[in-house]
């Protein structure tokens, strides 16, 4: 099964190969507070994007084809960690989108002043989202034409098919279809509202934690609160593998401690030997999880599956494995890391 999972993740982003050796003077997993910005006085605050990039990783995330005011298609990244949709500054200028108020777009390290622009009609396939107001950031920061945030994704279903290399945003699954459970599929029920879906049950090496999916993140991250709990419960299993540089969509960077998690359980789903970064990302604060154990699943974890579905209407996650005959508890595993 592990071989099948690795085959399905054709271009899975991984943690950077060249990691910074652990520094004795740096507390593992502890990040600096967001730096102050020169936003104009009186500007509003927008939670922006939770997108996280890692040094040395080729960005191969799936994008959706989007039409704006009848023009396109343009390529937008689906970012389930972002409160609001973002658009590239160059594209907004090309389409002559009307400019509005100033806001502060918060990133993982620092905020960045931005101008809001108005979109009359955003289309993805058969879905139409009218009258949006979105912040503008330089395309060099976004690296795509824009990000689709929870203001667009909420109440819809997002399907990442990694084998077919397709990304679909569609209507929620109907009641009859949703009760049909495939043998190679694990269903994770969630709590939350307005797009903020968290797994009802999550155990990380036996420690209870809140878990959510951030498709804008290339790497999976746990917060310092969860790391502290793991050190108390399983101190001998928390072997530091080095440090990882994380970069936010609004600029700035931070270092996080790289560790391996032996076992993660989410309802019917089991994950083994998962590499994560320990860092106090701003996205944990925006989700109200800065002081309680929490886990962010990034694209490196999601690509271990053939297909991942996030259904905001049904409030559930579905993970499809490559094998057609899984054991009773589905296991998405990787071989244990080599010593040294």
């Amino acid at each position: 099964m592990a071989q099948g999972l690795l085959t399905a993740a054709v271009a899975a982003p991984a943690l950077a190969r060249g990691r910074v050796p652990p520094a004795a003077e740096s507390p593992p997993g502890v990040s600096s507070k967001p730096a102050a910005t020169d936003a104009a006085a009186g500007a509003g605050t927008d939670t922006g994007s939770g997108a996280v990039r890692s040094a040395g990783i080729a960005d191969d995330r799936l994008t959706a084809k989007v039409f704006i005011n009848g023009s396109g298609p343009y390529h937008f990244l689906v970012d389930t960690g972002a409160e609001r949709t973002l658009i590239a500054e160059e594209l907004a200028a090309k389409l002559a989108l009307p400019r509005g108020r100033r806001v502060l777009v918060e990133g993982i390290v620092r905020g960045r002043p931005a101008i809001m622009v108005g979109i009359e009609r955003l289309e993805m396939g058969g879905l139409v989202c009218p009258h949006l107001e979105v912040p503008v950031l330089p395309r060099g920061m976004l690296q795509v034409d824009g990000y689709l945030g929870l203001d667009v994704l909420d109440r819809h279903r997002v399907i990442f098919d990694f084998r077919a290399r397709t990304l679909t945003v569609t209507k929620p699954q109907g009641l009859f279809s949703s009760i049909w459970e495939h043998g190679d599929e694990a269903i994770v029920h969630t709590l939350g509202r307005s797009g903020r879906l968290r797994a009802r049950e999550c155990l990380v090496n036996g420690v209870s934690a809140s878990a959510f999916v951030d498709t804008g993140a290339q790497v999976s991250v746990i917060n310092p609160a969860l790391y502290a709990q793991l050190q108390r419960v399983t101190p001998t299993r928390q072997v530091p593998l080095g440090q990882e540089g994380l970069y936010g969509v609004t600029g700035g960077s931070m270092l996080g401690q790289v560790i391996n998690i032996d076992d993660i359980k989410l309802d019917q789903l089991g994950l083994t030997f998962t590499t994560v970064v320990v860092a106090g990302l701003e996205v944990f604060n925006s989700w109200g999880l800065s002081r309680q154990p929490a886990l962010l699943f990034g694209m490196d974890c999601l690509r271990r599956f053939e297909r991942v579905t996030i259904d905001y209407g049904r409030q559930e996650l579905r993970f499809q494995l490559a094998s057609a005959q899984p054991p009773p508890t589905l296991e998405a595993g990787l071989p244990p890391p080599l010593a040294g």
Side-chain angles (χ1 to χ4, degrees):
M1 179 170 293
Q3 180 62 40
L5 288 170
L6 290 172
T7 302
V10 179
L15 291 171
R17 282 110 178 135
R19 298 194 176 102
V20 180
E25 67 274 14
S26 301
V30 178
S31 66
S32 60
K33 295 181 179 180
T37 67
D38 56 353
T45 300
D46 191 89
T47 50
S49 173
V52 182
R53 301 191 186 99
S54 182
I57 295 182
D59 193 346
D60 194 26
R61 293 168 291 179
L62 302 180
T63 56
K65 292 183 179 180
V66 171
F67 289 82
I68 297 178
N69 296 345
S71 178
Y74 304 108
H75 299 284
F76 276 58
L77 183 77
V78 170
D79 184 358
T80 58
E83 287 290 320
R84 192 185 289 270
T85 296
L86 298 168
I87 188 170
E89 186 174 30
E90 294 81 350
L91 179 56
K94 175 183 175 182
L95 298 175
L97 300 179
R99 295 160 65 90
R101 61 191 174 96
R102 291 178 62 84
V103 295
L104 180 65
V105 180
E106 293 288 358
I108 67 167
V109 179
R110 67 188 184 196
R112 180 182 175 87
I115 296 293
M116 302 287 278
V117 297
I119 296 176
E120 286 298 318
R121 183 183 179 92
L122 185 149
E123 299 173 75
M124 296 172 290
L127 296 178
V128 177
C129 303
H131 309 301
L132 294 174
E133 189 182 20
V134 304
V136 170
L137 288 179
R139 196 185 193 285
M141 287 185 165
L142 301 179
Q143 298 185 356
V144 286
D145 294 321
Y147 284 17
L148 296 174
L150 296 178
D151 55 341
V152 168
L153 302 177
D154 191 21
R155 300 183 300 277
H156 293 111
R157 182 163 53 119
V158 184
I159 305 170
F160 295 87
D161 192 322
F162 295 110
R163 171 169 288 186
R165 295 193 52 78
T166 60
L167 169 60
T168 306
V169 182
T170 184
K171 295 179 180 179
Q173 200 167 31
L175 177 61
F176 180 78
S177 300
S178 67
I179 62 177
W180 179 263
E181 185 174 339
H182 299 281
D184 59 350
E185 189 175 60
I187 299 176
V188 176
H189 299 286
T190 65
L191 301 170
R193 60 181 181 177
S194 300
R196 293 177 173 270
L197 302 186
R198 290 185 279 177
R200 288 183 182 178
E201 298 179 11
C202 177
L203 292 176
V204 182
N205 283 354
V207 175
S208 180
S210 295
F212 62 98
V213 172
D214 186 346
T215 59
Q218 291 181 341
V219 294
S220 297
V221 182
I222 68 172
N223 66 355
L226 176 53
Y227 185 66
Q229 288 276 15
L230 292 174
Q231 285 184 307
R232 283 192 287 268
V233 175
T234 57
T236 60
R237 295 161 70 181
Q238 308 312 310
V239 180
L241 302 178
Q243 290 185 321
E244 182 73 29
L246 301 178
Y247 302 84
V249 70
T250 58
S253 64
M254 67 168 64
L255 284 178
Q257 182 71 63
V258 181
I259 64 170
N260 273 322
I261 301 294
D262 296 332
D263 181 62
I264 301 174
K265 287 186 170 58
L266 292 160
D267 285 357
Q268 305 173 14
L269 180 66
L271 292 157
T272 59
F273 304 111
T274 303
T275 303
V276 299
V277 180
V278 186
L281 302 181
E282 181 63 26
V283 68
F284 289 118
N285 296 329
S286 67
W287 283 62
L289 299 173
S290 59
R291 296 187 177 182
Q292 66 185 78
L295 167 63
L296 175 158
F297 284 105
M299 292 299 286
D300 57 336
C301 266
L302 301 188
R303 285 182 178 273
R304 291 163 69 172
F305 300 91
E306 182 173 303
R307 184 169 64 179
V308 175
T309 301
I310 307 172
D311 195 325
Y312 291 101
R314 302 295 310 172
Q315 290 195 311
E316 67 179 22
L317 310 173
R318 290 182 178 239
F319 299 85
Q320 183 174 333
L321 302 182
S323 173
Q325 296 182 345
T329 299
L330 300 181
E331 295 288 342
L334 292 175
L338 297 176

